[in-house]
């Protein structure tokens, strides 16, 4: 499976809302509701932010939300804060019983 | 609390093998799958494989089949990743990460991550 497709970078000002897209195929994003999202800040391990397309683990701010339409998933962050800066990766379970990540999106808070 | 502690960094020559350990604590080891994910310098995340500690079933990324071997040891509640025939482009940080849901039969999503193990392949 090829990596899921994400924009290389997005940016926004504090307080704004941004959306990161994650393009897949009928064999991954479109096949199951097993899309998850991770935030990674420099020098740290990834952090689990969204699972099952749109569910938030305990402790993750409600400013983070997920959605899916067909073969494309998305992560929306509302009320941007400086601490939201970092890299964001989408992922999905696939029809080959494997897992695939997106290439990652660098979020800059201006 | 739940945590995964990995072994220290390694340096290997091309063609050699490396074995990384991952010792979870704070939960019942056999109930949750363990994923292995790597990240080359300045690059994104690459899923390598998943193993079920209860029965040893595993799935690997096709690109690593034949070189990647994942095992678990119930007596010490430790997971291991062994990568053989190392190449320069295997240089990366290697992470173990726990599956979010218990009793899954396949990789699902990773809620707790180890601190990462740096593996450098250099001649």
């Amino acid at each position: 499976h090829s990596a899921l497709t994400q924009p290389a970078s997005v940016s926004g000002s504090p307080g704004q809302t941004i959306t990161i897209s994650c393009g897949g195929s009928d064999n991954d994003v479109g096949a199951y509701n097993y899309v998850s999202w991770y935030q990674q800040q420099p020098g740290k391990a990834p952090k689990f932010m969204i699972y099952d397309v749109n569910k938030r683990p305990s402790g993750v701010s409600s400013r983070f939300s997920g959605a899916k339409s067909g073969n494309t998933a998305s992560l929306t962050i509302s009320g941007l804060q400086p601490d939201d800066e970092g890299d964001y990766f989408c992922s999905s379970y696939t029809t080959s019983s494997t897992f695939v990540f997106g290439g990652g999106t660098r979020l800059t808070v201006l | 609390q739940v945590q995964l502690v990995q072994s220290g960094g390694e340096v290997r020559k091309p063609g050699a093998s490396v074995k990384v350990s991952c010792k979870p604590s704070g939960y019942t080891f056999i109930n949750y799958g363990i994923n292995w994910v790597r990240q080359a310098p300045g690059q994104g995340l690459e899923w390598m494989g998943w193993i079920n500690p209860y029965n040893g079933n595993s799935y690997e990324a096709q690109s690593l089949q034949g070189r990647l071997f994942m095992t678990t040891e119930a007596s010490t509640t430790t997971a291991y990743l062994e990568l053989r025939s190392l190449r320069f482009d295997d240089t990366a940080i290697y992470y173990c990460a726990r599956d979010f849901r218990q009793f899954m039969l396949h990789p699902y999503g990773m809620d707790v991550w180890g601190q990462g193990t740096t593996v450098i392949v250099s001649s």
Side-chain angles (χ1 to χ4, degrees), chain B residues 22-67:
Chain B
C22 170
K23 182 157 177 66
S25 61
Y27 70 93
T28 302
F29 177 66
I30 60 172
N31 288 1
Y32 294 80
I34 293 287
N35 294 271
W36 290 94
V37 176
R38 69 180 178 179
Q39 187 169 35
Q43 302 299 309
L45 302 175
E46 179 188 6
W47 180 82
M48 301 177 71
W50 172 93
I51 185 165
N52 182 336
Y54 177 75
N55 58 16
N57 284 352
S58 66
Y59 296 104
E60 300 83 30
Q62 189 172 13
S63 61
L64 293 169
Q65 284 179 355
R67 294 202 302 134

Side-chain angles (χ1 to χ4, degrees), chain A:
Chain A
H1 282 260
S2 302
L4 306 176
T5 302
Q6 298 182 234
S9 64
V10 297
S11 62
S13 300
Q16 286 188 330
T17 296
I18 64 96
T19 297
I20 299 171
S21 62
C22 172
S25 71
D26 292 342
N27 296 318
D28 38 62
V29 174
Y32 306 101
N33 286 328
Y34 288 153
V35 174
S36 48
W37 289 86
Y38 304 84
Q39 175 198 63
Q40 187 179 35
Q41 293 178 320
K44 295 187 176 181
K47 178 184 176 184
F48 191 44
M49 303 300 287
I50 295 284
Y51 68 98
D52 288 358
V53 174
N54 56 14
K55 297 181 175 61
R56 284 186 308 278
S58 174
V60 173
S61 170
S62 57
R63 298 186 298 106
F64 292 83
S65 61
K68 190 184 89 166
S69 177
N71 295 339
T72 300
S74 60
L75 173 72
T76 296
I77 308 173
S78 60
L80 265 183
Q81 297 180 358
D83 194 43
D84 296 334
E85 272 203 349
D87 296 325
Y88 289 82
F89 297 90
C90 62
S91 63
S92 176
Y93 178 60
T94 80
T95 55
S96 300
S97 300
T98 59
F99 207 76
V100 63
F101 284 102
T105 298
R106 175 70 53 89
L107 169 62
T108 301
V109 180
L110 303 170

Side-chain angles (χ1 to χ4, degrees), chain B residues 29-104:
Chain B
F29 177 66
I30 60 172
N31 288 1
Y32 294 80
I34 293 287
N35 294 271
W36 290 94
V37 176
R38 69 180 178 179
Q39 187 169 35
Q43 302 299 309
L45 302 175
E46 179 188 6
W47 180 82
M48 301 177 71
W50 172 93
I51 185 165
N52 182 336
Y54 177 75
N55 58 16
N57 284 352
S58 66
Y59 296 104
E60 300 83 30
Q62 189 172 13
S63 61
L64 293 169
Q65 284 179 355
R67 294 202 302 134
L68 175 64
F69 298 88
M70 296 174 291
T71 55
T72 59
E73 201 169 84
S75 60
T76 58
T77 62
T78 303
Y80 298 94
L81 171 144
E82 182 177 14
L83 191 59
R84 301 176 183 173
S85 302
L86 287 168
R87 309 187 298 228
F88 292 117
D89 63 359
D90 290 319
T91 294
I93 299 174
Y94 288 72
Y95 293 101
C96 62
R98 189 187 79 159
D99 254 4
F100 175 58
R101 280 216 169 101
Q102 302 185 74
F103 312 125
M104 294 297 288

